[in-house]
Structures are given as C-alpha cells and as structure tokens.
Amino acid sequence: QIYAVLRGHCLYLYKDKRDGQTNSQIEEEPLPISIKACLIDISYSDTKRKNVLRLTTSDCEYLFQAEDREEMLSWIRVIQENSNLDEE
C-alpha cells in the first residue's frame, strides 16, 4: 500500500501517509512522476483486481488500485485536469 500526493504536474508516492502530509522538505523525497501530457484511464486488462487505473507517461506505465470505483474515477479526473501542458 502506498500514499499518493498530486502537486501540480507531479505525482509523489510515499510509503506512509504522514510523509505525504508534511509541508517541510523530506530528506528522502521520492522522485516525482511527471503527469504532463500523460494518458490516464481505467485499466480494463487487469481483470484480477477491481478499481485499477493505468497512468502512462512518456517513458513508463504505472498501475494503481483505488479503494473503490468513486475514488478511482476521482483520481482519473484530477490527473486529467492537471496533465495539461498549456496550464501552469
């Protein structure tokens, strides 16, 4: 289980919820996943798990599983809104 935090055009992944909630700089800040011009959608190919979303960047593909369908759709919507290259 991981904790994901979206800050602008970057998605950060943390092992612990507390790490993602602190405003101070963390010594071991994870490398961000740039969501600029990414593709995000429901992963229909992963039939063994429910509520899986697929994030495809220019160099990598990530699969995330949300707690429920509503949360999955919410993540998809927010990432789509923040992935636009023209908006800062």
Side-chain angles (χ1 to χ4, degrees):
Q1 188 171 8
I2 60 167
Y3 187 73
V5 177
L6 182 62
R7 294 185 188 123
H9 291 296
C10 293
L11 185 65
Y12 295 85
L13 305 178
Y14 299 93
K15 292 180 183 177
D16 192 310
K17 186 175 182 176
R18 289 175 297 167
D19 292 341
Q21 291 177 331
T22 60
N23 291 330
S24 61
Q25 188 71 2
I26 300 170
E27 285 183 25
E28 295 182 21
E29 182 77 17
L31 290 175
I33 299 170
S34 175
I35 62 163
K36 288 184 180 182
C38 73
L39 298 174
I40 181 82
D41 203 356
I42 298 170
S43 176
Y44 294 105
S45 61
D46 192 351
T47 56
K48 293 181 183 179
R49 296 180 181 263
K50 293 182 179 182
N51 308 314
V52 175
L53 53 114
R54 180 184 315 273
L55 173 67
T56 306
T57 64
S58 60
D59 60 348
C60 202
E61 181 177 277
Y62 303 89
L63 295 175
F64 297 99
Q65 183 178 18
E67 297 258 339
D68 54 38
R69 182 169 175 79
E70 184 178 315
E71 182 182 12
M72 175 189 66
L73 295 174
S74 176
W75 270 107
I76 290 172
R77 180 180 40 78
V78 170
I79 290 174
Q80 284 174 336
E81 290 171 359
N82 285 284
S83 68
N84 191 340
L85 283 173
D86 298 331
E87 297 177 10
E88 286 298 321

